[in-house]
Amino acid sequence: MRLGFSIFELVVVIGLIAAIAGFSVVFTTTAIRGQEFDRVRAIIHSELAAARSDTISGTNDSAWGVAFSPNAATRFQGATFATRNAAMDRTTSFGNAVTISGATEIDFVRPHGIPVTSSTVRISDGFRFSFITVTAAGAIDIR
């Protein structure tokens, strides 16, 4: 009759625990990255819709737009980002897990809220990507 565990049995159990912990870290990291990706996409869509709505309603009697950098989006008041009223800027920064590319700014024209040009913004987290397009008619399309 034996009492206790052999060293082999202990190594196997510790190895299984380590493998399970390793997989948990990978799956958790992937899930967090996916949530950040979805959050950034939703925020960009929301900021574009708000800028278009502000332009149509004539908020502060001005046109509105959204400017993009690799890790941020800024909703601004004005015909262009260069000529904006910086006091009205609303900047949302994103972590380095997600990058934004494509159009650097989308400007909406009063009174109908159509963009100056049809534009596309690309969102990527290194594994997935999505495109948000503002059509010539002002519709915001997510693909």
Side-chain angles (χ1 to χ4, degrees), residues 64-66 76 78-81 105-109 114-117:
W64 291 76
V66 180
F76 62 89
T80 66
F81 189 69
E105 77 180 80
I106 298 176
D107 309 311
F108 294 97
V109 178
I114 58 173
V116 173
T117 61

Side-chain angles (χ1 to χ4, degrees), residues 15-32:
L16 288 172
I17 291 171
I20 291 169
F23 284 123
S24 296
V25 168
V26 170
F27 290 128
T28 301
T29 302
T30 302
I32 290 170

Side-chain angles (χ1 to χ4, degrees), residues 44 47-56 62-68 73-85 89 102-121 132-140:
I44 289 175
E47 289 299 320
L48 287 167
R52 182 171 189 262
S53 177
D54 284 343
T55 299
I56 292 170
S62 181
W64 291 76
V66 180
F68 304 99
T74 302
R75 181 163 36 120
F76 62 89
Q77 176 188 334
T80 66
F81 189 69
T83 62
R84 75 191 188 281
N85 175 357
D89 285 1
T104 56
E105 77 180 80
I106 298 176
D107 309 311
F108 294 97
V109 178
R110 291 191 65 207
H112 303 294
I114 58 173
V116 173
T117 61
S118 176
S119 301
T120 299
V121 176
I132 299 179
T133 301
V134 179
T135 67
I140 302 168

Side-chain angles (χ1 to χ4, degrees), residues 78-103:
T80 66
F81 189 69
T83 62
R84 75 191 188 281
N85 175 357
M88 298 299 292
D89 285 1
R90 178 173 179 215
T91 300
T92 304
S93 297
F94 311 115
N96 292 332
V98 178
T99 57
I100 304 167
S101 59

